[in-house]
Amino acid sequence: MTKRFAVVLAAGKGTRMKSDLYKVLHPVAGKPMVQHIVDQLQTCSVEEIVTIVGHGAEKVQEQLGDGVHYALQAEQLGTGHAVMQAQEQLADKQGTTIVVCGDTPLLTGETMEQLFAHHQDQNAKATILTAHAENPTGYGRVLRDESGKVVKIVEQKDATPEELRVQEINTGTYCFDNEALFAALKHVGNDNSQGEYYLPDVIEILQQQGEPVFAYQSENFHETMGVNDRVALSEAEKWMKRRINEHWMREGVTIVDPEATYISSDAVIGRDTVIHPGTTIVGQTTIGERCTIGPNTEIENSRIANETTIKQSVVHRSDVGNRVSIGPFSHLRPETNLGNDVRVGNFVELKKMTMGDGSKASHLSYLGDAEIGSGVNVGCGSITVNYDGKNKFLTKIEDGAFIGCNSNLIAPVTIGQGSYVAAGSTITEDVPSESLAIARERQTTKSGYLSDKN
């Protein structure tokens, strides 16, 4: 197969976003736009990706990491000028180069693969990705001859009334014979009102040289949309959400109200899971089969095993076992690990702790920096007192222990296997196995106290 390369145009500041955040780093479905593009390119057997950076270059490199190469466009002098910056990495290589904008997050690897294939099948020097637009106003029109070859691309302002009726538009994504691309770029001028070097001029140069130029029309106009402002960003979010939700419904997931459900593009969900309205699933979250999630639940970068229920709760960077019940109104903070058949009830907060199989904390508890064994009951209002103002300390509760209501476990402390802590106790010392710990003031009742006062 012909070697494939990619140039991702990501140097523009994006002034219409009116943001301190570099445009291509604005998220869609929880992932920066440029990351969507790079991830999709990596499904297309692309040998080398060169990302053209400018404003905010360091932050783009921080996001994309070492999986791509970078070229700096110090001055933004047009799309042709941007591609020129990749010549050091690509100019002397044989193969096919796709040029794609970093602000087109909906573009799929499948469409890019089809563009590559069409380009190769036609033995083209350039192939333009086009789309059918019901309202093409503002877009450059693609004009073809009877054989399907591209005659020219005409911009809106330069089009005749007849040309304005054409509904096939230029999306700004192209495939080129790599050597032909960089040879033609040497002839691109900037004799225009903006003083910029435009990539579409390469198409005209190749045609003048008698080289074949074709177009491949995408099946979905929305997939090709570019994001230039917050309105378009919202539109991209809407279409991405719809795409993701439809995918999982077709994979056997029930989404009760897709319009009120947000799922990351990196999430994985098992069949027969039911997701209720108001649920947000963020990052690299994995949810197993036959789970019930929501309503009004947020899960971020977590693993949820099978047959687990999470209602009206927040779960961040945690690992949850099978047949676990969480909520309503629970909060699992990072590094929480729950075994199988665990119960975490209403208004329970967990942080950096483990809880073994069959354990439960049903009401109004805080358990942080703790190791809790299997079959443990943590009573209502109990807390691990883990912080002395400077350092965090560990609480251990061994298998089968019973923690009575309203108990304070002052860390570092260990509650031994099968032991009981009486309700209302403040425990400051280790409790041996099979013991009962009572640490509270003895009740004193003064009969007639109030009548004596009167």
Side-chain angles (χ1 to χ4, degrees):
M1 186 176 70
T2 303
K3 289 184 177 181
R4 294 175 175 180
F5 313 101
V7 176
V8 179
L9 304 182
K13 185 177 181 180
T15 54
R16 281 184 280 175
M17 298 295 287
K18 296 184 179 179
S19 174
D20 293 332
L21 183 64
Y22 190 42
K23 182 174 77 165
V24 298
L25 294 179
H26 279 266
V28 171
K31 182 190 292 185
M33 292 192 285
V34 70
Q35 188 70 64
H36 279 289
I37 287 296
V38 170
D39 289 350
Q40 293 300 313
L41 282 168
Q42 289 172 338
T43 70
C44 297
S45 303
V46 173
E47 186 172 290
E48 185 174 353
I49 300 172
V50 180
T51 302
I52 310 302
V53 294
H55 298 287
E58 298 82 4
K59 291 183 178 179
V60 174
Q61 290 176 253
E62 182 180 337
Q63 171 62 42
L64 299 179
D66 298 330
V68 303
H69 298 127
Y70 301 93
L72 178 65
Q73 186 186 21
E75 292 184 88
Q76 276 64 63
L77 299 177
T79 52
H81 180 260
V83 177
M84 290 177 195
Q85 309 314 302
Q87 60 186 354
E88 183 176 337
Q89 290 101 326
L90 299 179
D92 60 347
K93 296 181 178 179
Q94 293 183 337
T96 301
T97 294
I98 187 171
V99 179
V100 59
C101 296
D103 61 0
T104 54
L106 298 172
L107 195 58
T108 64
E110 181 181 4
T111 294
M112 289 189 276
E113 185 67 47
Q114 291 166 349
L115 178 62
F116 273 121
H118 188 77
H119 177 82
Q120 186 171 346
D121 290 345
Q122 299 297 331
N123 197 28
K125 290 298 182 181
T127 305
I128 307 161
L129 180 65
T130 69
H132 176 85
E134 290 298 325
N135 179 10
T137 302
Y139 290 95
R141 310 304 203 274
V142 176
L143 308 181
R144 305 196 199 203
D145 62 19
E146 292 180 356
S147 68
K149 289 184 180 179
V150 174
V151 176
K152 67 175 179 177
I153 302 172
V154 58
E155 296 303 319
Q156 167 96 18
K157 58 183 174 57
D158 300 322
T160 66
E162 183 180 356
E163 291 169 340
L164 287 173
R165 288 193 288 272
V166 173
Q167 292 180 291
E168 187 174 16
I169 57 97
N170 177 19
T171 68
T173 296
Y174 309 87
C175 265
F176 294 100
D177 174 274
N178 188 67
E179 292 174 299
L181 168 63
F182 284 97
L185 281 170
K186 295 177 182 178
H187 302 288
V188 174
N190 65 341
D191 186 17
N192 53 65
S193 60
Q194 300 297 319
E196 295 184 349
Y197 301 85
Y198 296 131
L199 185 60
D201 290 354
V202 169
I203 302 297
E204 186 177 350
I205 290 168
L206 292 173
Q207 289 173 322
Q208 291 171 352
Q209 294 172 349
E211 301 288 3
V213 175
F214 286 85
Y216 175 77
Q217 185 169 310
S218 169
E219 296 178 1
N220 189 333
F221 169 74
H222 298 288
E223 182 180 327
T224 67
M225 69 177 291
V227 174
N228 291 312
D229 57 25
R230 305 287 181 134
V231 175
L233 184 67
S234 175
E235 281 291 304
E237 183 77 34
K238 180 183 73 174
W239 286 105
M240 183 68 80
K241 179 180 71 172
R242 177 179 294 182
R243 176 193 297 174
I244 293 168
N245 290 353
E246 288 181 358
H247 166 77
W248 288 117
M249 287 188 284
R250 291 192 176 98
E251 291 296 314
V253 176
T254 294
I255 301 178
V256 175
D257 185 355
E259 293 300 313
T261 303
Y262 298 83
I263 302 173
S264 161
S265 60
D266 291 327
V268 177
I269 306 172
R271 63 190 302 176
D272 292 321
T273 285
V274 178
I275 301 177
H276 289 279
T279 294
T280 301
I281 299 170
V282 180
Q284 295 181 334
T285 291
T286 300
I287 298 174
E289 298 182 352
R290 301 177 300 283
C291 293
T292 300
I293 309 297
N296 303 319
T297 290
E298 177 183 317
I299 304 176
E300 177 185 303
N301 291 311
S302 296
R303 187 192 73 87
I304 314 298
N306 300 322
E307 299 178 10
T308 284
T309 297
I310 306 175
K311 295 181 178 179
Q312 288 105 355
S313 295
V314 175
V315 179
H316 286 178
R317 289 167 47 199
S318 295
D319 196 303
V320 177
N322 297 303
R323 300 174 302 279
V324 173
S325 176
I326 298 173
F329 314 117
S330 301
H331 185 185
L332 275 62
R333 292 168 56 191
E335 299 182 60
T336 294
N337 297 281
L338 305 182
N340 300 324
D341 304 296
V342 168
R343 162 69 174 152
V344 178
N346 50 300
F347 303 105
V348 173
E349 181 178 358
L350 308 178
K351 189 271 296 185
K352 198 176 182 180
M353 57 85 68
T354 60
M355 185 177 282
D357 295 350
S359 290
K360 57 185 178 180
S362 297
H363 329 274
L364 298 161
S365 293
Y366 168 73
L367 304 172
D369 297 283
E371 295 177 3
I372 298 176
S374 300
V376 171
N377 180 86
V378 179
C380 177
S382 297
I383 67 171
T384 58
V385 185
N386 58 333
Y387 184 48
D388 68 357
K390 292 184 180 179
N391 300 298
K392 300 289 181 69
F393 296 94
L394 180 67
T395 297
K396 293 184 178 181
I397 305 175
E398 296 181 352
D399 295 351
F402 185 99
I403 310 302
C405 293
N406 199 35
S407 295
N408 300 310
L409 308 181
I410 312 296
V413 70
T414 297
I415 310 300
Q417 183 174 344
S419 289
Y420 275 60
V421 173
S425 294
T426 296
I427 302 299
T428 59
E429 299 177 359
D430 292 350
V431 178
S433 298
E434 306 296 332
S435 301
L436 170 63
I438 306 173
R440 62 193 183 202
E441 186 70 23
R442 185 175 296 277
Q443 179 175 328
T444 299
T445 302
K446 295 185 178 182
S447 300
Y449 177 78
L450 292 178
S451 59
D452 289 344
K453 286 286 187 181
N454 294 329

